[in-house]
Amino acid sequence: MDRTGADFYNVVKMVKERLGAPAVPIQIPIGAEGDFKGVIDLVEMKAIVYTNDDFGKAPDITEIPDSLKDLADEYRVGVVEAAAEQSDALMEKYLGGEELTRDEIVAALRQATIDMKIYPMLCGTAFKNKGIQPLLDSVIHYLPSPVDVEGIEGINPDTDEANLRLPSDSEPFSALAFKLMNDQHVGNLTFFRVYSGTITKGSYVYNATKGKKERISRIVQMHANKREEIDQVFAGDIAAAVGLSETTTGDTICEEKSPIVLESMSFPDPVIEMSIEPKTKADQDKMGVALSRLAAEDPTFRMYTDTETGQTIIRGMGELHLEIIVDRMKREFKVEANQGKPQVAYRETVTSEAKARGLFKKQTGGRGKFGDCTLIVEPNETGGGFAFINDTVGGSIPREYIPAIEKGVRDAILHGTVAGYPVVDVKVHVVDGSYHDVDSDEISFVEAGRMAYREAMGKAHPVILEPIMSIEVVTPDQFLGDVIGDLNRRRGMIQGQENGPGGTIVVKAKVPLAEMFSYVSTLRSMTQGRASSTMEPSHYEAVPRNVADDIRAKQGK
């Protein structure tokens, strides 16, 4: 409310019109911009004025100023009517001319908020803490506590049967680990949310996801960047544990006698990558440690070393994701690094069946090398990954050399034949071959498998696959044509559109990730900042021929 141009009543109107949300102001402001002095509580019908200090710690609770009395009475009617509509008894009382009590209004508004029938609106300013205390009180009064929601359902890992845990301290302990963080003072912190039961520090817990038993040495409650040591947590609490080395994001911890696995979060594979290198020799070791810790904290962040170029490649869910990772390396781990441009994580696959023979034969005077195998490469179903099948008969290749052939193939699929990208969704059958009693060994069959696979891959009409994103754009009606036109220019396929809240249109489309760099900035400028978009990975799809030619040309350079 202290911002230039702040207008509470206009925001209430916009929330109702543009978002279509049944907003119910339970406060109105006293003043605005530089003259903002406090708020009027429409439930208590008192003024909360901040005049004594600059930090809003000691507000004065006073009577409503005469100049705002009529306006407060007008908005009070909306609060009372919203409460009365929640039950027949309250409505009867209200229509009968009786005043609803403060407790009746609070209870009715709370239930209506939990049922999402109304949205209480408050105002204030965080800069000088004006209106912050009533805001926190409203969180307690109106938002649901753990006991207001239904029990959580999980699976008993021993019986695979559904299991319901109620949000009660008397139930067996169960919690979900939802975040890992490295703290420079206490080490690894595992944040968890308790769904049932209680646990004390020093207790043993059972990681039902991994089947491991661990000890919680300390429990801390986090307040921003400050920690408070506590002895026990209860149902509904969020805390952080010290001492859990095996537990990662999405794991369930519980009592060993009453195991349960709660629904874990699913994380899509990263779709964008960039190269990164330390600026100095001193940063080399520190960068490895920093990236390892960041990867442990964030399941959507991956890192690997490219064996051909020797570069360290980091992979994530978008440009901003990787920018934040690099920024955290600088701030938290004091590692300076150079970074390459973000690149799309392309893949390769085959579109037809092909057969090839790999013969590795080497004679150097002494004992030679000999490996011979025939492979058939064919497409696997989408998402099926890599499958290796032994179809040899009659002992044409001794059984002990089959794993060596598979190793050769697995090495080869890391770099495709079109543009060098990893190969996915292929089946490889080994169907025939031969061996030499003296010269054959595992290394020879590794090479034979690699040679046969690469030749068969080249014959099987390989293609480059690109990640396709599912995107939803919420835009006001007047910008719909511009939004759809821009998505079409980005090789997007419009899936449909539907009416959104407040007269907006929701456009759903599938668009190649390669075309979506800097899309958010373009969308904002195109729609005066009024449209928003969400994007998530959908699937991989073969790229058009002209795009494939461009990708090959870039890789060639």
Side-chain angles (χ1 to χ4, degrees):
M1 284 303 303
D2 57 354
R3 290 270 180 92
T4 302
D7 186 342
F8 177 75
Y9 305 102
N10 187 45
V11 172
V12 173
K13 180 184 172 192
M14 290 167 69
V15 167
K16 290 178 178 178
E17 289 179 357
R18 294 192 182 178
L19 303 181
V24 177
I26 57 173
Q27 289 178 353
I28 58 173
I30 302 174
E33 302 181 358
D35 296 325
F36 179 64
K37 295 182 175 61
V39 298
I40 293 173
D41 187 328
L42 299 174
V43 176
E44 304 282 357
M45 287 304 279
K46 294 285 184 183
I48 303 170
V49 184
Y50 298 82
T51 54
N52 295 333
D53 63 74
D54 286 336
F55 298 104
K57 290 182 178 177
D60 293 327
I61 311 297
T62 65
E63 294 301 318
I64 297 171
D66 291 339
S67 58
L68 293 172
K69 193 81 173 68
D70 291 343
L71 189 62
D73 288 340
E74 178 187 334
Y75 274 85
R76 162 80 175 187
V77 171
V79 175
V80 175
E81 285 181 351
E85 287 171 0
Q86 303 313 310
S87 76
D88 293 340
L90 291 180
M91 181 59 78
E92 197 174 315
K93 186 175 180 180
Y94 174 66
L95 294 175
E98 294 182 59
E99 280 286 323
L100 301 188
T101 67
R102 180 256 181 204
D103 290 344
E104 286 174 334
I105 293 173
V106 170
L109 293 180
R110 175 185 178 81
Q111 193 56 52
T113 305
I114 292 171
D115 295 340
M116 296 173 73
K117 292 178 180 175
I118 66 164
Y119 295 86
M121 280 190 70
L122 301 91
C123 55
T125 167
F127 179 55
K128 293 291 179 70
N129 291 324
K130 295 177 181 177
I132 299 301
Q133 299 90 342
L135 171 66
L136 295 175
D137 289 341
S138 296
V139 169
I140 303 297
H141 291 154
Y142 305 116
L143 296 186
S145 82
V147 297
D148 289 317
V149 296
E150 297 174 359
I152 188 164
E153 195 171 275
I155 300 294
N156 186 322
D158 296 336
T159 62
D160 287 334
E161 293 178 357
N163 203 328
L164 186 71
R165 291 285 167 89
L166 300 174
S168 166
D169 295 341
S170 59
E171 289 266 307
F173 173 73
S174 64
L176 186 72
F178 64 88
K179 177 180 170 62
L180 300 185
M181 190 177 84
N182 186 268
D183 189 286
Q184 57 182 342
H185 300 294
V186 298
N188 284 332
L189 286 174
T190 304
F191 286 76
F192 63 96
R193 199 273 200 190
V194 184
Y195 282 93
S196 64
T198 66
I199 196 78
T200 56
K201 67 177 182 180
S203 301
Y204 282 90
V205 293
Y206 179 65
N207 184 328
T209 308
K210 292 192 170 74
K212 301 278 181 72
K213 193 174 178 181
E214 294 196 85
R215 182 174 178 268
I216 295 181
S217 56
R218 292 156 63 193
I219 300 175
V220 294
Q221 214 158 37
M222 301 297 290
H223 304 277
N225 60 349
K226 296 183 176 65
R227 300 176 306 279
E228 178 190 342
E229 295 255 356
I230 55 176
D231 296 328
Q232 189 174 14
V233 288
F234 302 89
D237 282 350
I238 291 176
V242 180
L244 299 180
S245 57
E246 299 281 348
T247 302
T248 54
T249 302
D251 287 356
T252 301
I253 53 176
C254 57
E255 289 181 16
E256 192 170 11
K257 293 181 294 183
S258 304
I260 187 173
V261 176
L262 303 176
E263 183 181 355
S264 180
M265 292 160 274
S266 59
F267 302 105
D269 288 332
V271 292
I272 197 167
E273 59 185 38
M274 69 165 65
S275 60
I276 189 167
E277 60 182 27
K279 281 189 176 178
T280 66
K281 195 75 175 169
D283 287 324
Q284 181 89 45
D285 295 335
K286 289 198 294 182
M287 188 180 85
V289 172
L291 289 175
S292 298
R293 288 185 178 175
L294 291 168
E297 290 180 17
D298 184 352
T300 60
F301 171 65
R302 314 268 171 82
M303 54 169 280
Y304 70 96
T305 302
D306 189 312
T307 52
E308 289 194 351
T309 63
Q311 286 181 308
T312 300
I313 308 295
I314 58 176
R315 305 180 64 208
M317 302 310 296
E319 288 177 279
L320 180 62
H321 186 194
L322 295 183
E323 283 172 17
I324 290 171
I325 291 287
V326 174
D327 182 60
R328 285 188 63 192
M329 275 176 47
K330 292 176 181 175
R331 281 189 297 105
E332 297 176 23
F333 299 94
K334 305 295 186 283
V335 176
E336 292 293 330
N338 297 319
Q339 61 204 65
K341 285 186 177 179
Q343 292 186 335
V344 175
Y346 291 107
R347 295 287 181 266
E348 294 183 24
T349 193
V350 297
T351 56
S352 63
E353 184 180 300
K355 187 176 184 179
R357 180 188 179 198
L359 176 61
F360 180 71
K361 195 174 180 182
K362 206 169 185 182
Q363 203 67 40
T364 55
R367 180 179 171 182
K369 297 283 184 185
F370 184 89
D372 175 24
C373 65
T374 301
L375 303 180
I376 292 177
V377 172
E378 64 175 351
N380 199 356
E381 61 187 30
T382 303
F386 169 72
F388 184 84
I389 301 143
N390 178 15
D391 286 336
T392 57
V393 291
S396 56
I397 301 175
R399 187 176 297 171
E400 62 266 26
Y401 294 141
I402 299 297
I405 297 172
E406 182 177 355
K407 182 180 186 306
V409 175
R410 284 189 179 276
D411 289 345
I413 66 171
L414 296 176
H415 302 283
T417 58
V418 184
Y421 292 107
V423 179
V424 296
D425 299 340
V426 293
K427 285 182 182 176
V428 177
H429 303 258
V430 53
V431 293
D432 199 6
S434 62
Y435 68 100
H436 190 280
D437 289 333
V438 177
D439 291 349
S440 289
D441 58 12
E442 288 189 3
I443 295 174
S444 301
F445 276 97
V446 168
E447 285 301 320
R450 184 183 288 124
M451 291 164 62
Y453 168 76
R454 292 192 73 80
E455 185 180 338
M457 174 85 180
K459 294 178 182 176
H461 301 102
V463 294
I464 300 174
L465 301 175
E466 63 180 341
I468 305 296
M469 312 298 284
S470 286
I471 181 168
E472 277 194 14
V473 182
V474 181
T475 177
D477 192 15
Q478 65 261 44
F479 303 113
L480 179 63
D482 293 337
V483 169
I484 290 178
D486 182 65
L487 290 173
N488 286 331
R489 281 193 295 275
R490 295 172 185 269
R491 295 195 284 129
M493 291 285 292
I494 306 299
Q495 303 289 299
Q497 57 190 61
E498 57 191 46
N499 293 327
T504 58
I505 306 292
V506 180
V507 180
K508 296 183 180 181
K510 304 278 190 191
V511 191
L513 174 66
E515 306 291 339
M516 296 305 289
F517 290 115
S518 305
Y519 178 68
V520 173
S521 305
T522 305
L523 183 66
R524 281 182 186 146
S525 60
M526 193 171 26
T527 61
Q528 301 172 11
R530 291 177 60 190
S532 62
S533 65
T534 56
M535 187 167 65
E536 64 179 28
S538 172
H539 62 284
Y540 272 84
E541 202 171 271
V543 301
R545 179 169 294 186
N546 63 319
V547 178
D549 291 341
D550 291 342
I551 294 170
R552 271 198 297 267
K554 288 177 183 174
Q555 287 296 89
K557 288 177 184 177

